[in-house]
Amino acid sequence: MDELDSEIVRLLQTDARQSNRELARRLGIAPSTCLERVRSLTRRGVIRGYHADIDLAALNRGVQALVSIQVRPLNRSVINTFKEFASGLPEVISVFVVAGGDDFLLHVGVRDLDHLHSFLLDRLSKRKEIAGFRTSVIFQQVRNPALSRLDDAAG
């Protein structure tokens, strides 16, 4: 990606609803050039889609938590089976397969603390492959809305 591609990505992360004409104006390039660059970024998989940022409370998910999970036996089959199971749960926002003391990190969103408790007891604790889990309730989240490409490490 060159500097123009990076700037296109930054601007689209900030506001993906802006028109091609507006994006081109902000970049100081022709709309046809801008459109071709955006199409190229999409074809190359840099731009994977356009998404709405939705308030989770509006979706009845006022309580969020991170659940760290250890599974046993630790093998590819167990990891893949649990990953598929967890990603299909309506409460789960994201599933991360991680290294270290835990094997998974689930980002969940639920109505309230009672529903979080029910999720942990009724959905997770009954799974035989789960050796243990810890839950951290999220009080606040700050997200960087526009990520930029990091420079390559020198030497």
Side-chain angles (χ1 to χ4, degrees):
M1 285 188 12
D2 63 15
E3 287 182 34
L4 181 57
D5 285 344
S6 294
E7 188 62 10
I8 289 170
V9 168
R10 187 187 71 76
L11 290 171
L12 287 176
Q13 286 180 98
T14 304
D15 179 8
R17 294 186 57 162
Q18 62 190 303
S19 69
N20 182 66
R21 185 171 302 283
E22 175 62 18
L23 184 60
R25 185 194 66 72
R26 292 178 72 185
L27 293 165
I29 60 176
S32 59
T33 301
C34 185
L35 184 59
E36 184 49 43
R37 286 291 191 121
V38 171
R39 285 180 176 165
S40 174
L41 288 164
T42 303
R43 275 193 309 272
R44 294 179 356 230
V46 175
I47 297 174
R48 298 186 308 185
Y50 300 88
H51 310 279
D53 185 13
I54 307 296
D55 177 20
L56 290 177
L59 298 178
N60 216 10
R61 295 168 182 261
V63 171
Q64 295 179 64
L66 297 174
V67 183
S68 304
I69 298 171
Q70 304 87 38
V71 295
R72 297 295 177 266
L74 191 55
N75 61 49
R76 186 176 304 277
S77 174
V78 170
I79 288 172
N80 288 338
T81 299
F82 184 77
K83 182 174 59 173
E84 186 175 322
F85 162 76
S87 65
L89 296 173
E91 299 88 350
V92 174
I93 297 167
S94 297
V95 176
F96 301 92
V97 180
V98 297
D102 299 313
D103 305 307
F104 287 90
L105 183 63
L106 303 183
H107 178 196
V108 300
V110 293
R111 181 176 314 137
D112 52 34
L113 289 175
D114 286 337
H115 284 87
L116 177 60
H117 189 239
S118 293
F119 170 78
L120 297 171
L121 291 178
D122 298 336
R123 304 278 189 156
L124 295 187
S125 69
K126 293 181 178 183
R127 299 288 298 194
K128 64 180 180 178
E129 72 271 26
I130 294 180
F133 59 86
R134 290 183 325 278
T135 305
S136 300
V137 173
I138 299 171
F139 291 125
Q140 296 179 345
Q141 177 186 15
V142 178
R143 197 174 137 269
N144 187 349
L147 301 175
S148 60
R149 187 175 190 280
L150 297 175
D151 292 333
D152 295 331

